[in-house]
Amino acid sequence: MDSGSTARTPPRDEDRVVSRNFVTDAVDADLRVGRVGEVVTRFPPEPNGYLHIGHAKAICLDFGVARDYGGRTYLRFDDTNPTTENPEFVDSIRNDVRWLGFAWTEERFASDYFGRLFELACRLIETGDAYVDSQPETEVRAQRGTVTEPGRPSPYRERPPEESLELFHGMRAGSFDEGAHVLRAKIDMASKNMLMRDPVLYRIRHQQHYRTGDAWHVYPLYDFAHPLSDAIEGVTHSLCTLEFENNREIYDWLVERLFPAPRPRQIEFARLNLDHTVVSKRKLLKLVQAGVVSGWDDPRMPTLAALRRRGVTPEAIRTFAERVGVTKANSRTDLGLFEASIRNDLNLRAPRTMAVTDPLPLDLTDLPDDARRTISASLWPHDVPHEGERPLPFGRELWIEREDVRLDPPKGWKRLAPGVAVRLRHGPVIVCEGIDVDDAGRPAAVRARTVDDPEAEGVRVRGVVHWVARHAGVAAEFRLVDRLFEDPDPESGGRDVLDGVDPGSLRIRHGFVEPYVADADPDARWQFERQGYFWRDPVDGRGDALVFTRIVTLKDGWSRSTDAARTAKRRSRAEREADEGATPRPVGAGRSPAGRPGDAPDPLAGLDDDQVATVQRWEQEGVPRSDAARIAPDPPAAALFDAAHAVGRATPAGLAGWIVNELPRALDGLPLEEARLEPGALAALVARVEADTISGPVAKELLAELVAHGGDPDALVQERGLAKLDDADALDRAVRTVLDEHPDEVAAYRGGKVGLIGFFVGRAMRATDGRADPKRVRALLEARLGAPD
């Protein structure tokens, strides 16, 4: 990932580290017209805290752009505030950038330029572009004016340059108290951009700087030091987040007065705002200082140090940054997207083993007391391209998960309960014979017998349970880490960051792991089946201590609960409209054509001339008249169709059919204007259906997700492995498994209840996560089931 290339021309799209975006388009244009010959970027963190996930996006952009164009990137510490910076943060930033996989050309410090910056400030004074103001800070602030009123000039604004220079040198020498004077730029007190109303450039600070000691008594402000440091280093493209958009005017004002062309070009992009996350070093420091977390590397924190300790890989973070992309508009990113990137990465690197985090004893009563053997168990599922097995001890006495046992199970329960049969993962089928309880009436121990031939004994297997042998299991601590903030927007309403912390964000359990895990490389990441992805904590879990931190769960339960609440809200809106006599809107927020009688002889009846013309235009492109007539009177739906059609990936008829038939179900009462579905995403989704690369059920689930959260369907299909399942053997295994698990229904079907075929198809589709072709599944089921009696 280091900047080893020497190319000076735009790279091919397939060779880019950073996908094409408006920033790379600007770089391409600058190279094309010869404004720059070499791309030079910088990553300029202030060493006043640890880097967080938001910085990862900036790091990937700064270093990635330079790498793509064969340029240079400086790691520069903007250390101009002596009160908040220290070497610990410098070291942590170095470690984080290296860990992410990037190498800088040179390491720089703004404090290295203090002498040069002071000289540049003196030059501004000499040219009449800056002056020393001797007013109190409160008065300076009061004179700035408001958004609608211009500011008032300082009485010292016309102070002679000679006098300002003398005072400025006295400030430098420590001759004045803090607050006695400031150096201000002389720009425009009536500027609409309030940052241009004679901004302060230097303040007096009698503070020890961690690098320069007490050599300086004046320190430049960020808006002065940052652009001039860029210019000193020859930076060509100064990439920063949108909150600095207004600062670009003072950035340009300074470099134009003090440096010849070519000068740095500032380009702003949207920062990464992640749900359930705070990305402010100042606020994260508050969590550390209040003791809410154990430190900057607490695995619940969004810092890169915490993510590293948690077990997230740099590859997952880089992939996430690429998927989020570089845009000009601020928005919030669903944390589920980040967690999905982590799962996708770990799926291919984490062997499958078993652990029990809340153990309950299970005795297999039909086995002798000394019954012990070793099972050869696979480390990888069939859909991961790795091979390997591990020895798995088995015996009469096992540990199982407490939550897998119920005395009075709910309907559809697939774990252990009296009389219920399950399969032990990699082991035999067992039938629960009894459950002992403690004084509180809770399960305390389970007794079961093994079943050699479930089909011959007529035993219906309900599910699969994971376990660890009691004679071989190794005791371990499990830290179940969850989202630090329950609210998606922890800072909404001006809330204090300390008030939003979820007390259940860390749960500690004590249980057992397979001995294979305890003896393996401590840096290995594991999928503990049905539990999530884990790894040994690099701080507390090394040596003889077995402490495992959960990196991420196997599924995103948060999205499901959030979606359920959102769906309930939509339904209540639809019900309210129905109660008020309104016609439900099946497509968007405009007038719905669905309100017309479905048996109208002419679909164009009731449409105005413009709508009829639109229908006729769409008909010429292959859209059925009935579908076109339903979309045309609905402005949001019509706009969505036109925009999606313009993308060019899907057929017009296919797009129209999905807008008319499937989009209303996905909206579920939500006005189309409030949906986060992008036209390009709809076009990509329909194109995949038409290309037969995903199944209809998968496409419908994705459409609902795109409506609720937005996103890229191509990326979601790849990341979640949702491509259509065409493997004949895998389909046949899924069908056979469904039939094996439902012997009663099989007998009923063969006895004449042919309507059960829908039940079997539904179960098989669920077993393949909706990825199979339902027609093909039905054909396989009918072939397996044979003709009914």
Side-chain angles (χ1 to χ4, degrees):
M1 295 299 297
D2 61 9
S3 302
S5 173
T6 59
R8 296 293 186 272
T9 57
R12 297 182 304 171
D13 287 352
E14 59 268 28
D15 294 333
R16 291 178 181 267
V17 171
V18 178
S19 297
R20 288 179 61 91
N21 58 72
F22 75 95
V23 172
T24 62
D25 288 346
V27 176
D28 289 346
D30 286 342
L31 288 169
R32 188 165 53 249
V33 301
R35 191 188 79 83
V36 300
E38 180 186 26
V39 174
V40 181
T41 63
R42 82 289 170 269
F43 177 59
E46 298 176 66
N48 58 0
Y50 280 56
L51 299 183
H52 51 63
I53 184 63
H55 292 108
K57 177 180 176 180
I59 292 170
C60 291
L61 182 62
D62 287 327
F63 284 89
V65 165
R67 185 266 184 200
D68 283 343
Y69 294 88
R72 291 174 285 146
T73 302
Y74 296 119
L75 174 61
R76 183 177 74 236
F77 297 94
D78 273 348
D79 54 349
T80 60
N81 186 346
T83 63
T84 61
E85 297 154 353
N86 69 58
E88 174 192 353
F89 300 136
V90 172
D91 290 339
S92 73
I93 290 169
R94 291 188 186 116
N95 292 337
D96 289 342
V97 174
R98 289 193 188 102
W99 176 71
L100 272 181
F102 297 99
W104 49 92
T105 307
E106 290 183 36
E107 182 176 289
R108 304 289 182 89
F109 292 82
S111 55
D112 289 337
Y113 310 139
F114 279 172
R116 181 81 182 277
L117 294 173
F118 185 82
E119 292 173 0
L120 293 171
C122 290
R123 191 189 307 175
L124 288 177
I125 296 173
E126 292 167 350
T127 58
D129 290 313
Y131 62 96
V132 171
D133 193 343
S134 302
Q135 300 179 98
E137 183 179 352
T138 54
E139 189 62 28
V140 172
R141 190 182 303 115
Q143 290 172 351
R144 284 283 170 78
T146 66
V147 176
T148 57
E149 297 178 354
R152 292 179 286 112
S154 164
Y156 301 98
R157 197 170 195 265
E158 301 305 325
R159 174 175 261 161
E162 297 79 11
E163 183 180 341
S164 285
L165 270 176
E166 183 179 354
L167 287 170
F168 191 46
H169 280 281
M171 294 164 60
R172 159 78 173 86
S175 303
F176 306 105
D177 293 335
E178 290 191 8
H181 308 285
V182 293
L183 179 69
R184 297 177 68 179
K186 187 188 293 186
I187 306 180
D188 182 4
M189 291 301 294
S191 174
K192 292 183 179 179
N193 183 352
M194 294 186 66
L195 293 176
M196 298 297 286
R197 296 180 183 179
D198 289 12
V200 174
L201 306 180
Y202 268 87
R203 285 195 175 101
I204 300 172
R205 287 286 185 268
H206 300 306
Q207 301 281 343
Q208 286 276 334
H209 189 278
Y210 77 103
R211 294 188 76 237
T212 61
D214 58 2
W216 290 88
H217 297 275
V218 288
Y219 291 93
L221 273 73
Y222 179 87
D223 276 342
F224 182 77
H226 180 78
L228 299 185
S229 296
D230 282 352
I232 291 170
E233 294 169 353
V235 169
T236 59
H237 297 86
S238 178
L239 310 179
C240 59
T241 47
L242 279 174
E243 60 260 40
F244 294 101
E245 186 173 21
N246 288 337
N247 302 64
R248 188 190 337 139
E249 193 171 355
I250 186 172
Y251 185 107
D252 292 341
W253 187 89
L254 285 165
V255 297
E256 286 169 3
R257 277 158 178 75
L258 296 169
F259 286 86
R263 304 180 183 94
R265 177 182 179 184
Q266 178 173 306
I267 305 175
E268 306 87 17
F269 60 92
R271 69 182 294 180
L272 176 61
N273 294 307
L274 198 58
D275 284 348
H276 304 282
T277 307
V278 169
V279 285
S280 162
K281 284 188 287 186
R282 177 176 57 83
K283 294 177 180 178
L284 295 176
L285 174 61
K286 191 173 184 179
L287 294 173
V288 174
Q289 292 176 335
V292 173
V293 294
S294 60
W296 287 97
D297 67 343
D298 186 304
R300 295 169 293 172
M301 291 275 275
T303 61
L304 297 183
L307 293 171
R308 181 164 63 248
R309 178 176 176 181
R310 185 168 177 168
V312 177
T313 69
E315 292 84 357
I317 293 177
R318 293 200 303 265
T319 298
F320 171 64
E322 176 67 11
R323 290 185 61 194
V324 170
V326 181
T327 65
K328 294 182 179 180
N330 277 323
S331 62
R332 297 194 68 83
T333 299
D334 189 343
L335 186 57
L337 181 66
F338 181 40
E339 293 177 341
S341 298
I342 299 171
R343 291 188 191 97
N344 190 56
D345 172 74
L346 294 175
N347 180 52
L348 297 176
R349 71 168 73 235
R352 277 50 165 179
T353 55
M354 293 188 289
V356 175
T357 66
D358 189 11
L360 193 69
L362 165 67
D363 287 344
L364 302 178
T365 57
D366 61 312
L367 299 183
D369 292 344
D370 59 352
R372 294 179 181 177
R373 60 188 176 94
T374 299
I375 300 171
S376 182
S378 173
L379 286 166
W380 304 98
H382 65 85
D383 59 344
V384 174
H386 298 309
E387 295 182 356
E389 296 186 341
R390 87 273 190 184
L392 178 61
F394 177 78
R396 170 191 170 100
E397 298 178 335
L398 308 175
W399 293 116
I400 58 173
E401 203 72 47
R402 184 175 299 274
E403 66 178 17
D404 286 344
V405 179
R406 291 288 186 276
L407 288 165
D408 186 14
K411 184 178 180 180
W413 179 249
K414 294 185 177 182
R415 307 297 178 215
L416 280 167
V420 173
V422 299
R423 180 176 295 279
L424 294 175
R425 179 67 168 151
H426 301 295
V429 171
I430 64 171
V431 176
C432 179
E433 294 183 317
I435 300 174
D436 299 331
V437 299
D438 59 19
D439 293 340
R442 298 171 301 187
V446 180
R447 288 171 280 108
R449 64 177 177 86
T450 61
V451 179
D452 293 331
D453 190 344
E455 186 172 357
E457 295 188 32
V459 173
R460 179 183 177 187
V461 181
R462 297 295 183 90
V464 179
V465 170
H466 66 276
W467 52 275
V468 172
R470 275 150 66 185
H471 73 274
V474 183
E477 177 177 297
F478 302 91
R479 296 178 179 177
L480 306 184
V481 175
D482 220 323
R483 303 174 182 187
L484 187 57
F485 300 97
E486 185 173 5
D487 194 301
D489 188 359
E491 301 172 273
S492 62
R495 287 179 298 178
D496 189 297
V497 68
L498 299 179
D499 294 336
V501 174
D502 182 0
S505 58
L506 173 62
R507 292 172 292 145
I508 296 178
R509 291 182 175 177
H510 293 89
F512 300 91
V513 296
E514 298 179 26
Y516 182 83
V517 174
D519 296 335
D521 181 353
D523 288 327
R525 291 158 176 85
W526 307 95
Q527 184 193 108
F528 292 155
E529 298 195 45
R530 294 183 52 229
Q531 305 281 13
Y533 292 100
F534 288 75
W535 90 319
R536 287 179 70 173
D537 185 276
V539 177
D540 301 329
R542 298 305 163 97
D544 294 333
L546 278 184
V547 178
F548 291 90
T549 297
R550 185 168 64 191
I551 307 170
V552 68
T553 57
L554 294 179
K555 294 183 179 180
D556 183 4
W558 282 74
S559 292
R560 288 195 298 274
S561 62
T562 302
D563 289 348
R566 186 180 289 110
T567 299
K569 182 178 180 180
R570 294 176 192 162
R571 287 176 174 161
S572 66
R573 182 192 297 115
E575 292 165 359
R576 186 166 59 252
E577 291 176 345
D579 291 342
E580 294 170 356
T583 301
R585 295 169 286 189
V587 176
R591 183 171 65 85
S592 172
R596 297 189 304 276
D599 56 355
D602 184 359
L604 302 183
L607 301 186
D608 60 31
D609 292 343
D610 289 340
Q611 292 164 355
V612 170
T614 298
V615 170
Q616 292 172 343
R617 173 168 58 85
W618 289 345
E619 276 190 286
Q620 293 176 359
E621 297 176 353
V623 179
R625 172 176 288 195
S626 58
D627 287 350
R630 293 189 64 186
I631 298 172
D634 190 336
L640 175 64
F641 173 83
D642 279 335
H645 177 27
V647 173
R649 292 188 60 177
T651 65
L655 286 170
W658 273 75
I659 289 175
V660 168
N661 299 309
E662 304 302 337
L663 185 55
R665 298 187 182 95
L667 289 167
D668 200 11
L670 179 75
L672 182 53
E673 306 98 303
E674 297 180 17
R676 299 180 68 176
L677 174 68
E678 294 292 334
L682 176 63
L685 181 70
V686 176
R688 277 191 167 273
V689 175
E690 292 179 330
D692 203 30
T693 61
I694 58 173
S695 69
V698 165
K700 292 173 185 178
E701 288 187 13
L702 284 176
L703 181 61
E705 182 168 347
L706 295 171
V707 164
H709 304 297
D712 178 359
D714 291 328
L716 292 173
V717 168
Q718 181 177 1
E719 163 211 322
R720 300 179 184 177
L722 299 177
K724 202 163 188 178
L725 182 61
D726 289 325
D727 186 321
D729 290 339
L731 283 175
D732 191 52
R733 284 197 300 272
V735 166
R736 285 188 283 108
T737 299
V738 168
L739 297 180
D740 289 345
E741 292 180 350
H742 299 91
D744 295 344
E745 288 79 3
V746 169
Y749 175 89
R750 289 171 174 163
K753 292 186 177 181
V754 294
L756 284 170
I757 191 65
F759 166 82
F760 291 122
V761 171
R763 296 288 173 169
M765 291 300 295
R766 188 181 305 172
T768 62
D769 293 325
R771 295 168 52 213
D773 181 345
K775 294 181 181 178
R776 190 173 176 186
V777 168
R778 183 185 182 109
L780 285 170
L781 282 165
E782 289 176 339
R784 283 272 175 193
L785 287 165
D789 296 337

